[in-house]
Each structure stands twice: as structure tokens, then as C-alpha cells.
Amino acid sequence: MKSRMINLILEDGTELKSFKIDEVDLKDIRNSNGNSIIDTKITEQISIELKKCEDNYIGTISVESKQIIDSNLRFNRCKRCEYLEESREIKKSCDEDLNNYSEKYIGKIVVVLESPHVKEYDFIRKGKRIPIPAIGNSGNSLQNNFEENFKRIFENDDIKDGVYSIILCNAIQYQCSLGVNTKKYRDRLFIVLWFMAELNKNFLKRIKSYQAAIVINLCTNGNHEKDPLIDKNKQIKPYLETEYKDNFISKYKKSTSIKNLKGLQRDVQYQINEIVKDNKACLFYSGSHPSIRKNWQIKKL
């Protein structure tokens, strides 16, 4: 297998050098949604710009006496795109929704996924590609099953009456899959961005700013099943220890074991748990990724 070295450039100008990819994936990565190649030719050193997928305000849900009496949810593509098309400036509209409109509600429910994939980058408006979180199968699943899942938490928790605004976000706002099979690069790049580029801190800052009443972690556990850079004769765990120990363990000082690399959901949950220090009233839940199965469920942590 021949691999190439690429530079990854984030929207804020942060540059991550020397990220390996399988040469056979170059064509797909070059044409993947949301990524634009800076170099006009495939050379030994390739640079890819990663475009940020902003958090979205999804709508509202009304609770009274442990019953959902009304909802206005825009998880799926049809409802979200219809709403966004009404705005002249989509980015500005999202910011205003997140920072202003939701202030009048009793609390915010934040739904967390791990990172955007291909479908999240295929909404085009006026010739521009506008990234929108969970606009594919995940959005459909959330639209169809969110209320039913939310009802289940009433059984054991004291959810206050009122209207809640809902925010959908990715823990990492960049496309970690690079547009190819998520089992190839997503987990590897997630780890690089999360710990080495310290986007875990960016995520924590965003979540804290929302002052959420409820946080629901629906990140995938992930795996390195098809990572082309892992020697197939080696076990994944020993490989990760060798690959990341110096950079990952030493930098992320609170972690004393490579075990945190087993699942993206646990890495994200570790950061979510930090919110307790500032917001003890917040309720925390987790569940399987909504694209995994139709009947996904959430449980209290």
C-alpha cells in the first residue's frame, strides 16, 4: 500500500502537517464535499482545507406534566433546508438562533454527534456549499424518533414544564472522515483534532456557552476497522499505543491509559462531564448513534 502525506488546514487557519492517507483514496478525498484542495495537482505534499459545520438551532419541544404537548423539530433535510432557505445569510441566521432566539425558553437541549460526514456538505445555496449537521440518515432518524426517545426520560427524571429549544452540534465541526468510508480515517483524524489540535477545548467552550438543561451524547463509539495505515498483522490496541502514546497520553494529562482511545463517545463524554462543575442542574444522557438503527434509545448517565 502506498500512502501520501497531506496537510490539513482548518477554517481558523490551524494547520496539521503530515497526516497519512492511502493513495487509492486521493480521488475521493479530492472530490469529497466540503473539502477543497489548495494544490491544483496531486504532488508529494497535498493540502486540504476543512470547512466548519456550524451548530444548528433545531426548533422547540413543549413539556407539560411529563407530556410533550407540542413540538417544532427540524432535524431532517426537508424541514431544515426549507427553514434555512428563508434566511438571506444562513451562517448569520444560525448564530442568531443559537445566541438570541433560544434565550426566551426555559432551557436548552443539546444533541451531540461526533463529526460531520459527506451528506452534511451537500446543501448548496446560490452556488455555495453550506455545511449543515446531520442532514442525511441521522437527521431522518432524529426527526422520526426523537420525541419517542425523549418521552422515556420522563419516567425517572423531573423534567420541568416549559418550552425547550434544541441545538444540534458535532463535537468536532470538521469532516473527520475526509469524505470516504468512516471506518478508514474518521477515528484517526478525530483523535488528532480532538487531542492534538485541542478541539476538545473548543467543544467544551461551545457546550458551556449554551448553558444546557439537558445534554444528549449520541456520538458513535467508532473503530479503526478499515484504517489502511494499520498493519493487518498487528492488533489495533498495541498499534494505537505505539502511534499515539507520546503525543496523546503526555499531552492529555488527565488520561493515564490508552483505554480512552477505544471509543469516540467516551472521549466526548469525558469533556461533557466537565460541565457539571459549572452547571450542576444539567441532566446528561447518552445513546447509540441515530444512524445505527431506527429504534435508538437514550439512557441517563
Side-chain angles (χ1 to χ4, degrees), residues 1-4 6 19-32 35 37 42 46 48 177-185 226-229:
M1 181 204 75
K2 186 174 181 181
S3 60
R4 292 289 186 106
I6 63 173
F19 186 84
K20 287 183 180 180
I21 60 169
D22 188 340
E23 193 171 58
V24 300
D25 292 320
L26 270 177
K27 183 176 183 296
D28 291 333
I29 290 175
R30 285 172 60 82
N31 295 326
S32 64
N35 297 332
I37 301 297
I42 296 180
I46 301 166
I48 299 177
S177 66
L178 297 179
V180 300
N181 189 319
T182 56
K183 295 179 180 179
K184 281 194 168 186
Y185 305 110
K226 295 184 179 180
D227 189 327
L229 305 178

Side-chain angles (χ1 to χ4, degrees), residues 216-280:
I216 305 173
N217 181 358
L218 298 182
C219 294
T220 183
N221 285 322
N223 62 64
H224 293 260
E225 183 180 322
K226 295 184 179 180
D227 189 327
L229 305 178
I230 293 180
D231 188 331
K232 301 309 176 186
N233 296 318
K234 296 180 180 179
Q235 293 183 341
I236 291 177
K237 184 177 177 182
Y239 172 83
L240 291 176
E241 287 199 41
T242 303
E243 181 82 356
Y244 295 115
K245 190 172 183 180
D246 290 341
N247 291 315
F248 169 71
I249 296 298
S250 61
K251 190 164 188 178
Y252 200 55
K253 300 188 184 301
K254 290 185 179 180
S255 176
T256 58
S257 170
I258 203 73
K259 67 182 180 180
N260 283 341
L261 291 173
K262 283 184 177 178
L264 303 186
Q265 187 177 82
R266 279 189 287 179
D267 291 335
V268 172
Q269 190 60 47
Y270 186 91
Q271 292 301 121
I272 291 175
N273 292 344
E274 291 290 300
I275 301 170
V276 176
K277 297 175 181 177
D278 300 318
N279 188 359
K280 297 185 184 300

Side-chain angles (χ1 to χ4, degrees), residues 109-260:
I109 300 170
V110 180
V111 179
V112 182
L113 300 175
E114 71 285 342
S115 63
H117 190 40
V118 172
K119 290 290 185 182
E120 280 81 338
Y121 288 86
D122 67 3
F123 175 64
I124 298 176
R125 183 173 183 270
K126 295 182 178 179
K128 268 190 169 182
R129 213 174 276 282
I130 309 295
I132 304 173
I135 205 71
N137 291 335
S138 295
N140 290 334
S141 180
L142 285 164
Q143 185 74 32
N144 295 332
N145 299 290
F146 184 81
E147 285 191 40
E148 188 61 34
N149 271 280
F150 195 70
K151 287 177 184 176
R152 292 191 181 104
I153 71 176
F154 294 147
E155 296 176 5
N156 300 311
D157 295 316
D158 185 19
I159 306 298
K160 295 180 180 179
D161 289 351
V163 181
Y164 292 83
S165 59
I166 300 175
I167 295 170
L168 179 62
C169 74
N170 284 294
I172 289 181
Q173 295 175 305
Y174 298 100
Q175 189 183 63
C176 294
S177 66
L178 297 179
V180 300
N181 189 319
T182 56
K183 295 179 180 179
K184 281 194 168 186
Y185 305 110
R186 182 196 59 201
D187 289 28
R188 175 184 287 268
L189 183 50
F190 188 98
I191 290 169
V192 170
L193 293 174
W194 191 248
F195 297 108
M196 299 175 195
E198 298 187 331
L199 291 190
N200 55 341
K201 294 180 180 179
N202 169 273
F203 169 69
L204 184 58
K205 182 179 179 181
R206 278 185 285 133
I207 295 296
K208 282 186 174 182
S209 72
Y210 298 144
Q211 298 180 320
I214 297 171
V215 177
I216 305 173
N217 181 358
L218 298 182
C219 294
T220 183
N221 285 322
N223 62 64
H224 293 260
E225 183 180 322
K226 295 184 179 180
D227 189 327
L229 305 178
I230 293 180
D231 188 331
K232 301 309 176 186
N233 296 318
K234 296 180 180 179
Q235 293 183 341
I236 291 177
K237 184 177 177 182
Y239 172 83
L240 291 176
E241 287 199 41
T242 303
E243 181 82 356
Y244 295 115
K245 190 172 183 180
D246 290 341
N247 291 315
F248 169 71
I249 296 298
S250 61
K251 190 164 188 178
Y252 200 55
K253 300 188 184 301
K254 290 185 179 180
S255 176
T256 58
S257 170
I258 203 73
K259 67 182 180 180
N260 283 341

